Amino acid sequence: MLKTIICRWFVCVAALVVQVAAAPVAHAQLLTRTVSATQLAATLQSALSTTTVHLHNLGPLAGGSYHAANASSIKVPASLSGVPGQRTNFTLPDASTILLGRRYGYYVDHVRSTGVFVTATADSFTISITLASPGPALVGTCVRAKVPAVPCTTLGDTYLPAIDWRDGRIDIVAKPVVVDRSLALDVQAVSIGGTFDVGKTCAWPLVGRRLCAALDKQSLRLRQRVGDQVKASLNTLAVQRAVAAAVRDHLDTTLQAPLFGVRRVAMQEGIVTVALALGR
């Protein structure tokens, strides 16, 4: 009899444990809410609006090259990084090439971001960062490829036309994810837009065709390098947590559920659906 009572007691306790464990899941499913992706895009734009990008790799002549290392940077807002003025420096590659005993190169000269814009698509957000420079984006240089390394006196950089970067921009595709019981962004892909106006560079006598090929190579490497750095900077946990905190305020106001935390998130047809449960 005692054994039967004990067994029944364990069965009851086990059933109760299952019910308690299952209750939050069922509760979260009942508290499903939707919010306009367009409204969230405005919140995200406000949070990211002072993000800045600086692209530069033109320095003084040293070691036979004008290439400057670690001269480009990405700076996220202090509200996101938690540290005022925090920026991540990186190096744009040196794509100079030696032709006819001379090292010719085009270097990026102070291309900076001019604005950050966030828009919503059907299932993701697009963060667009526009770029511009006070002068030509790419500046040509020429150095004699022998000791001493000095600027070319003939067929030098005065013959190399400066190159503009037209409609320069960085487009970032990001999807909503759950971070710290709120909604943050996970960067999926980064593309670098715009065209380099090479003008008559390719028609330059003797070296024009090879110099143009080097420019094409530099363009690809520059786009890849900038894309990788932007993705890495925005996908850090610190930035994701800060974005989540900014969005949390919006969700508390829009959904009027300040005591509830986001457990799941999905985005489809311009609508963000969040599943809420007690506890932030």
Side-chain angles (χ1 to χ4, degrees):
M1 176 64 71
L2 180 59
K3 182 176 181 180
T4 301
I5 293 175
I6 293 175
C7 289
R8 288 178 178 174
W9 182 81
F10 273 115
V11 169
C12 291
V13 170
L16 180 61
V17 169
V18 170
Q19 291 174 7
V20 171
V25 176
H27 194 51
Q29 291 175 343
L30 292 175
L31 288 175
T32 298
R33 297 290 185 269
T34 60
V35 61
S36 166
T38 301
Q39 291 179 349
L40 276 179
T43 298
L44 293 169
Q45 179 168 325
S46 177
L48 297 168
S49 61
T50 56
T51 298
T52 59
V53 177
H54 176 214
L55 305 179
H56 185 75
N57 70 344
L58 174 65
L61 178 60
S65 172
Y66 285 94
H67 182 244
N70 216 36
S72 297
S73 65
I74 298 171
K75 180 182 176 183
V76 297
S79 59
L80 297 184
S81 66
V83 180
Q86 182 180 6
R87 67 177 69 237
T88 301
N89 289 84
F90 61 96
T91 300
L92 291 179
D94 182 354
S96 59
T97 184
I98 296 179
L99 302 172
L100 303 179
R102 297 172 175 82
R103 179 181 294 278
Y104 292 97
Y106 271 96
Y107 297 94
V108 183
D109 190 20
H110 294 301
V111 175
R112 302 178 187 274
S113 54
T114 57
V116 179
F117 308 93
V118 182
T119 56
T121 62
D123 62 354
S124 62
F125 294 98
T126 298
I127 306 165
S128 296
I129 302 175
T130 53
L131 304 170
S133 55
L138 299 180
V139 176
T141 64
C142 178
V143 182
R144 291 197 313 172
K146 59 181 180 180
V147 179
V150 295
C152 304
T153 55
T154 59
L155 296 179
D157 55 312
T158 55
Y159 290 86
L160 296 176
I163 294 176
D164 292 320
W165 189 353
R166 302 193 183 282
D167 301 318
R169 60 189 294 123
I170 303 171
D171 288 318
I172 304 157
V173 176
K175 289 185 176 292
V177 293
V178 178
V179 173
D180 288 350
R181 298 294 188 243
S182 184
L183 184 153
L185 296 177
D186 180 64
V187 175
Q188 305 285 301
V190 180
S191 60
I192 312 301
T195 58
F196 292 103
D197 184 6
V198 299
K200 298 180 179 179
T201 302
C202 298
W204 201 39
L206 300 177
V207 299
R209 184 178 300 177
R210 293 178 63 184
L211 191 58
C212 237
L215 276 172
D216 287 340
K217 181 179 179 181
Q218 181 185 25
S219 171
L220 291 174
R221 294 177 65 190
L222 184 151
R223 293 172 194 267
Q224 182 65 48
R225 181 63 171 161
V226 173
D228 290 344
Q229 288 295 323
V230 169
K231 183 176 181 179
S233 296
L234 294 182
N235 269 352
T236 62
L237 184 58
V239 171
Q240 287 186 328
R241 282 177 169 170
V243 170
V247 173
R248 180 75 242 179
D249 293 337
H250 176 80
L251 293 178
D252 287 349
T253 301
T254 303
L255 303 180
Q256 298 182 348
L259 297 179
F260 292 83
V262 178
R263 296 299 188 268
R264 296 191 304 276
V265 62
M267 184 174 180
Q268 188 176 12
E269 298 181 355
I271 298 296
V272 178
T273 303
V274 294
L276 303 171
L278 281 172
R280 295 179 58 174

